[in-house]
Each structure stands twice: as C-alpha cells, then as structure tokens.
Amino acid sequence: MSFGQRKNFTVPVDAESPEARDDAKLLPLGPFDKIPPIIIDGQDPPKTPITPTTPIIFCPQSPSVGSKRSRALRPGTTRKYRRRAILKNGDCNIVLSKVSRQRLRFLQDIFTTLVDAQWRWTLLVFAFSFIGSWLFFGAIWWLIAFTHGDLEEMHLPKNQEESGWKPCVFNIESYTSAFLFSIETQTTIGYGYRTTTEECPEAIFIMCFQSIYGVMMQAFMVGFVFAKMTRPKHRTQTLLFSKHAVVCQRDGELCLMFRVGDMRKSHIIGANIRAQLIRTKLSREGEVMAQYQHELEVGADHCGSDLFFIWPQIVTHRISTESPFFNMSASDLLQDRFEIVVILEGTVESTGQSTQARSSYVNTEILWGHRFEPIVFYNKENQVYEINYSKFNETHSVDTPLCSARELAEFYKYQDDYRNQAEDHHLQTPA
C-alpha cells in the first residue's frame, strides 16, 4: 500500500512505555529523542527512510486551518485542555442557574449583597438611598403643611404676619421648600430659616423619626462602603503565584513545585498553604465523580504547610506512594485532564483580617524537567536580603527522568540490589 493511500500508522515502539525504556532513556536526551519524527499528512510519501524505531505521527489537514499543520508531538502526547474551576487571578469560574427565589434570598442579606456588588451599583444605591429618603420625607412635610392649611393663599409665609397664622413649619410654601427642609432635618444642617413649631404634634413626631432614620441609614451606608473598601480580597492582589508549576527531582524524589510571593512589607501572619487536585474519578460502583477533590500534601522545605512568609517560597509536593501523581509519567501529564487548585490563607498584619488567595494549574501549565530560578540574594552593600521579582516566573531546564515516580523508585531499587549483589560477590571472591 502506498503512502498516499495509507491514513494511519502504528508506532512499533512506544518510548514512554516501561517495556521499551532502559537506563539511558530515563534522562530527557535518550536515544529515542535524537531521532526526528516523521510527519505523514496523507499526501506525499516521506523522503526520510523509515526504520522500526522511527516515530511516525499522522497529522491530517483540517479544512478550517488551510495550509497550517498541527504541531509535531510525540505519539500519545497531544495536549488536552481543561476548563478551569479557579481562574489564574483566583476568581471562581462558577455561575449559578435555576436557583429558586434567588433575588429574595439575596435581599434577605442585603448587607452582604451590597458588599459583593460592583462599585457602580454600590455608589448608585448609596446615592439613591439618601436622595430617595429626602424626597419621601419631603412629601410627608408637604402633606403636613397641606392638611394643616399652611399652603392656602392667606396662610403663605408672605401673608402670615398680616393674617396672624401660625404654621406647622415656618417658611414652607411649596414642595421645593418642604424638600429643602427634609434635607436640613436629616443631615442636621439647620440653616435656621425653616423650623418646626408647637402647632402640629405630627410635625414634631416626623422630625424625631426622620432624625433617627437618618442616623441609622448613614451608619449603615458608611459601614458597607467601609467594608467594601477594606475587603481582605483586595490584599490578594499583592500575593503572587508563579505562572507555571514545575516537576523535577529533589533529594532523589520527583516533586511538583510552584512558587508563592508577597509584594508588601506588611506580612501575612500565620500563612498556610494548601493544594487540591480536581479530576474525574470512577468509583468501584461505576459512579463518575467529575469534580472529585483530592488533598495534596504540600509544604515549604521541612516546615510543612505553615509558612514563615517573609520572602517568596517554593512550595513542594513530593510525589510519593500516597500521591495521585505516583503512576504519572511526563507523557501521561500531557494526556491527563486535571486541575491543581492552590490556596494561601493567613491574617493581614496591618488590619488583622483573614485573607485567602487562590490560583490554579492545569496540565498544560506544568513544566516537566524545570526548576525555578533563585530570586533572593543578599545585598552586601545595603546589608539586606534583596528579592528580584522580575525573575519570579523564570525557570531553567534540568535533567529529569521522563518516567513516573513509581518506575523511578523501581529503577533505584533494582540499582541498589545490583550494587548489593556486586559487593557480596566481591566479598565472597577470594583474593
């Protein structure tokens, strides 16, 4: 069969399989990596001769991309993207739908609703709450003057001295003047031009009621505006997470690492770091749990999850037998679909409020065989530790096995057994 008729090819040797891997292939530059892959697009036969160990990739052309071809990846290493539950800036990518009596439930907790609302709605409610109350009480003052007869022609302020009429409120002659008196009463301005009299008990009651209402409403509005301005969520804008996570060896173990930092001089007290793996899991009963959460054991150095957060820290998850990544190789990392949600919690030193910063990493944001660049240096001239945040996201490649942590542990075990057997044989052999 010619190459123009053949639509798919099978790879005789899978470089990532344990059966095809030897000691030399544990490093990124193994014999297989030196062979350039041959891409077959179904049109012309390849000019490079094919051998049993040549990786072949079938990349059919898509009508939507025209002459553009897919990137040449090794067999079985197609990148798969996953929708995020937590965005990189820490916001939850969640939308509620079909919630019964949702608006009523939000109105029952109006304070939290206003604090969570956007600033344009907050300022709109703030302005209309005052203007609306002034208009409402202005109408009440106008009704009091109207029912008492203060708005009749002979009882208007210009004729009161001549007729001897005593109104409920001096100098009220229209709704505009009643509205101005409402503002003066509620804001306790008191220009002294319009005042209540002893003529109407209802006017005295409304004046007391509006004064109390104005104080309560002002305290409420100032309270939720202050709460909105001092939300701990704003503190998270200066808490940084590295753009990528990395996988490399540390003390003979494969480790998943990411970096966290704080740009402010006021530190986070009692900082604690957590990480959760979100992926699909199939239970023994056949139940598909699409958003199954698995807690990852993370820590900085040997301090556990509690951080002394005075400079950027590299948070490490050791891929041990208890880790869900124990059987995952570099190739599996590209094919699997998961999301790692990282959570940094602590108390803001300047305000004493608790804060929580979040971020996430999907499989395409994990660099296998990389290590973070150091960014903390001691400045001898100023005698201080200097942090170079321009290199916060920078990494460099290091020699890292492409196999899983389980296969690496087996390789080290076989290597130790071989050394022990060689030493025993050397001791038993007579000189």
Side-chain angles (χ1 to χ4, degrees):
M1 183 180 294
S2 63
F3 286 97
Q5 298 175 351
R6 192 172 182 179
K7 295 299 181 182
N8 198 357
F9 294 90
T10 58
V11 181
V13 179
D14 185 2
E16 299 296 336
S17 62
E19 293 79 7
R21 187 182 293 114
D22 53 20
D23 299 350
K25 293 180 183 178
L26 288 174
L27 296 179
L29 297 178
F32 188 88
D33 300 272
K34 299 179 181 179
I35 304 176
I38 298 177
I39 303 176
I40 307 298
D41 57 3
Q43 295 180 358
D44 298 326
K47 298 180 181 180
T48 306
I50 301 175
T51 64
T53 59
T54 302
I56 302 174
I57 305 175
F58 175 66
C59 299
Q61 287 188 339
S62 175
S64 60
V65 297
S67 60
K68 294 182 180 181
R69 297 182 180 180
S70 302
R71 291 187 300 173
L73 297 175
R74 297 177 62 180
T77 58
T78 303
R79 290 181 179 268
K80 297 181 180 180
Y81 297 90
R82 175 185 172 89
R83 298 178 180 90
R84 293 181 181 273
I86 302 296
L87 303 179
K88 294 296 287 185
N89 60 357
D91 293 338
C92 296
N93 190 24
I94 297 174
V95 177
L96 304 180
S97 63
K98 299 180 180 179
V99 181
S100 62
R101 304 169 61 189
Q102 181 178 9
R103 295 184 179 179
L104 180 60
R105 295 173 187 269
F106 284 166
L107 290 177
Q108 290 175 348
D109 187 11
I110 186 64
F111 186 85
T112 306
T113 302
L114 291 176
V115 171
D116 291 339
Q118 297 180 353
W119 268 109
R120 57 176 176 265
W121 298 111
T122 301
L123 297 177
L124 188 66
V125 171
F126 186 86
F128 272 90
S129 62
F130 284 98
I131 296 175
S133 64
W134 297 337
L135 292 172
F136 174 74
F137 283 102
I140 293 180
W141 288 114
W142 182 85
L143 287 175
I144 292 175
F146 178 79
T147 55
H148 188 256
D150 297 341
L151 301 181
E152 296 180 5
E153 183 64 25
M154 294 303 297
H155 299 163
L156 292 177
K158 59 182 178 180
N159 300 324
Q160 288 177 1
E161 186 176 355
E162 179 182 352
S163 62
W165 181 259
K166 189 175 183 180
C168 294
V169 181
F170 285 122
N171 299 311
I172 295 292
E173 57 185 12
S174 64
Y175 178 77
T176 303
S177 57
F179 174 72
L180 293 175
F181 180 71
S182 173
I183 297 177
E184 295 177 19
T185 302
Q186 185 167 328
T187 58
T188 65
I189 293 176
Y191 290 113
Y193 183 66
R194 298 179 180 87
T195 58
T196 56
T197 65
E198 300 175 356
E199 183 69 19
C200 303
E202 63 271 19
I204 300 175
F205 173 78
I206 292 298
M207 182 184 64
C208 297
F209 180 79
Q210 186 176 5
S211 300
I212 297 174
Y213 173 82
V215 172
M216 294 180 60
M217 189 185 67
Q218 187 173 2
F220 177 79
M221 290 298 166
V222 172
F224 91 79
V225 170
F226 177 79
K228 188 175 181 64
M229 294 180 62
T230 59
R231 281 190 303 174
K233 184 178 180 181
H234 296 162
R235 181 63 174 86
T236 62
Q237 302 301 320
T238 52
L239 295 176
L240 305 180
F241 293 90
S242 59
K243 184 178 179 181
H244 296 91
V246 299
V247 175
C248 64
Q249 279 187 295
R250 176 174 286 186
D251 295 332
E253 292 181 309
L254 285 177
C255 296
L256 172 70
M257 295 180 286
F258 58 91
R259 182 146 57 188
V260 295
D262 187 4
M263 297 177 61
R264 287 190 179 274
K265 291 184 178 180
S266 58
H267 305 300
I268 300 296
I269 303 174
N272 182 271
I273 189 71
R274 295 170 49 208
Q276 288 188 343
L277 175 67
I278 302 178
R279 66 187 306 180
T280 302
K281 179 183 178 181
L282 182 64
S283 65
R284 296 180 180 179
E285 296 77 15
E287 179 186 2
V288 179
M289 295 175 284
Q291 291 82 31
Y292 184 80
Q293 301 181 16
H294 188 285
E295 190 77 18
L296 300 179
E297 185 177 352
V298 295
D301 300 331
H302 289 283
C303 300
S305 59
D306 295 327
L307 306 179
F308 183 47
F309 205 26
I310 60 175
W311 48 46
Q313 297 275 2
I314 297 179
V315 182
T316 305
H317 166 66
R318 296 188 177 274
I319 306 179
S320 60
T321 56
E322 303 297 330
S323 173
F325 301 108
F326 187 65
N327 297 318
M328 186 176 296
S329 63
S331 178
D332 299 332
L333 185 70
L334 293 176
Q335 300 179 69
D336 206 343
R337 294 186 178 183
F338 60 86
E339 179 180 5
I340 301 175
V341 178
V342 293
I343 305 168
L344 176 63
E345 298 175 323
T347 304
V348 182
E349 184 180 31
S350 56
T351 62
Q353 293 180 318
S354 299
T355 185
Q356 183 184 89
R358 300 180 295 264
S359 187
S360 68
Y361 301 96
V362 294
N363 60 333
T364 56
E365 295 172 343
I366 299 178
L367 305 179
W368 191 287
H370 281 247
R371 185 177 295 159
F372 285 108
E373 294 281 357
I375 62 174
V376 181
F377 305 96
Y378 185 75
N379 190 327
K380 295 183 179 179
E381 182 179 353
N382 299 326
Q383 295 184 355
V384 294
Y385 283 95
E386 183 178 346
I387 304 173
N388 185 4
Y389 271 99
S390 63
K391 296 183 178 181
F392 185 79
N393 295 311
E394 291 188 7
T395 62
H396 62 275
S397 59
V398 292
D399 289 339
T400 304
L402 297 177
C403 63
S404 64
R406 178 183 60 82
E407 295 166 345
L408 183 62
E410 292 178 355
F411 169 74
Y412 285 146
K413 182 177 180 300
Y414 294 150
Q415 196 176 44
D416 294 339
D417 292 343
Y418 178 77
R419 288 198 186 99
N420 294 333
Q421 292 177 3
E423 292 177 359
D424 294 342
H425 179 72
H426 178 71
L427 293 176
Q428 293 177 3
T429 302

